[in-house]
Amino acid sequence: MKRPLEAREGRETFKGSLKVGRPWQFKQLELFQGIAFSTPSQLHFTQEYTIITIQSGAVYLQYRNTDVNGHVVDGMFLVIEPGETWTCQPKDVTFHHLSIDPAWLQQKATELFQREKSLLHFPNQIHSDPSLSRALCALAALSLSPVSRLQQEETLLHLLAQLLLPHAQDASVPREPSWEHPAIKRAKEYLQAYYAEEIALQDLADVTHLSPFYLARLFRQVVGLPPHAYQTQLRLARARTLLAQGFDVSYVALETGFCDQSHFAQQFKRHFLVTPGSYRTTARFF
């Protein structure tokens, strides 16, 4: 789906051309392409692996302890891991953004390395890799063509090899187990289990055995966004899945806990820059 964007929300302006779809209808993948794309600064959250390659333009991007601010060179890329937050403000940027289901990527990594792989980890730094950028551009271009299933899978495996072999942490290298504050872990698990329900801050405080005031501050500090925003992101992630499966917008809005269809549409478009109806119609196809 390709559409020009020039919408104003308050004082925020979105410009450029955006295309979104699932290459050859692979449900484990979703590809966004932007041309001369500009948006205000936005905080993002994902439950998938997100590969971002930038061919041109200027961008402010913050992820973990890494910052980019200014013009970028062709081939710059970043991998966002599941459950992470990052901030991005592109200006006249041409980019590819590929979301990959974590379980599917883990399976493909096991096949590639011929040994069992745990959840993949990528270094914090932002890299420059023109070959990976070219592979993602090739995937986008071929997605528009009626190629054979064999060529589809070969193209995907070539892209994954370009990503995993040089950049994924090798399974033989011991990795320090990540530590997460137990209270925040419980709060996130509760939100994930009941994302579609009306949750009070006191509910999370009861689960975590913290005061509501302290929990709200700690959650924002650790996760990067407040509990209500985390819940909204969980709802939107589930809504995206349901829409791609063809469910009606009104059903999805109700099923994911939004107060009404109008509010759902506003939140969905603000986050994904397309309306739920447009996404439902085109997300499975280019």
Side-chain angles (χ1 to χ4, degrees):
M1 175 190 64
K2 187 174 183 179
R3 60 191 294 267
L5 291 174
E6 190 166 355
R8 182 174 298 273
E9 296 185 13
R11 297 181 179 178
E12 301 176 336
T13 303
F14 304 85
K15 296 180 179 178
S17 174
L18 180 69
K19 181 161 58 175
V20 57
R22 296 182 182 271
W24 304 300
Q25 302 182 46
F26 277 90
K27 64 180 181 180
Q28 303 90 346
L29 305 172
E30 186 166 74
L31 180 62
F32 289 78
Q33 294 175 255
I35 299 175
F37 199 73
S38 301
T39 73
S41 180
Q42 288 185 291
L43 183 67
H44 298 273
F45 166 83
T46 183
Q47 292 180 297
E48 303 94 17
Y49 284 99
T50 301
I51 308 169
I52 303 170
T53 66
I54 301 178
Q55 286 74 53
S56 64
V59 65
Y60 167 73
L61 192 150
Q62 184 180 49
Y63 173 56
R64 292 179 176 169
N65 297 318
T66 303
D67 291 83
V68 173
N69 193 1
H71 286 276
V72 297
V73 297
D74 183 15
M76 190 199 89
F77 89 95
L78 174 69
V79 179
I80 310 291
E81 297 186 22
E84 298 277 1
T85 59
W86 79 99
T87 301
C88 185
Q89 182 179 6
K91 183 177 181 181
D92 298 325
V93 166
T94 296
F95 70 92
H96 291 86
H97 167 142
L98 181 67
S99 295
I100 307 177
D101 176 74
W104 186 82
L105 184 60
Q106 184 178 354
Q107 175 191 343
K108 295 303 178 184
T110 297
E111 296 172 4
L112 177 65
F113 290 102
Q114 294 294 300
R115 61 178 182 271
E116 192 67 31
K117 297 286 288 186
S118 58
L119 196 64
L120 293 165
H121 174 60
F122 293 85
N124 293 353
Q125 301 92 336
I126 294 175
H127 294 275
S128 178
D129 188 337
S131 62
L132 179 62
S133 182
R134 288 193 297 269
L136 195 47
C137 288
L139 171 66
L142 279 175
S143 294
L144 299 171
S145 306
V147 299
S148 68
R149 180 67 180 229
L150 184 60
Q151 188 173 358
Q152 294 173 17
E153 294 178 349
E154 289 172 352
T155 302
L156 288 174
L157 291 178
H158 174 69
L159 171 64
L160 294 180
Q162 295 292 108
L163 170 68
L164 298 177
L165 289 172
H167 303 296
Q169 187 177 65
D170 191 274
S172 63
V173 178
R175 181 184 173 194
E176 290 292 328
S178 58
W179 183 87
E180 186 173 27
H181 195 291
I184 299 305
K185 184 174 185 294
R186 288 194 295 271
K188 288 170 64 177
E189 289 173 346
Y190 188 88
L191 288 166
Q192 289 162 8
Y194 302 104
Y195 68 91
E197 298 186 12
E198 197 66 44
I199 297 174
L201 190 57
Q202 186 61 55
D203 296 331
L204 295 178
D206 292 341
V207 170
T208 58
H209 308 295
L210 299 175
S211 72
F213 180 78
Y214 182 67
L215 170 63
R217 292 185 60 204
L218 183 63
F219 194 100
R220 182 190 286 267
Q221 178 183 348
V222 172
V223 179
L225 64 169
H228 80 274
Y230 183 82
Q231 183 186 34
T232 298
Q233 297 289 348
L234 292 173
R235 289 176 171 180
L236 289 171
R238 178 58 179 162
R240 192 176 67 168
T241 299
L242 293 174
L243 289 169
Q245 293 173 354
F247 287 97
D248 290 337
V249 174
S250 58
Y251 169 82
V252 173
L254 180 65
E255 184 69 13
T256 53
F258 287 93
C259 59
D260 55 48
Q261 186 173 330
S262 176
H263 181 238
F264 166 58
Q266 180 186 40
Q267 291 292 321
F268 193 93
K269 185 175 181 180
R270 182 175 182 82
H271 188 75
F272 297 112
L273 304 179
V274 294
T275 66
S278 296
Y279 183 88
R280 176 184 179 273
T281 303
T282 60
R284 291 167 289 177
F285 310 94
F286 273 113

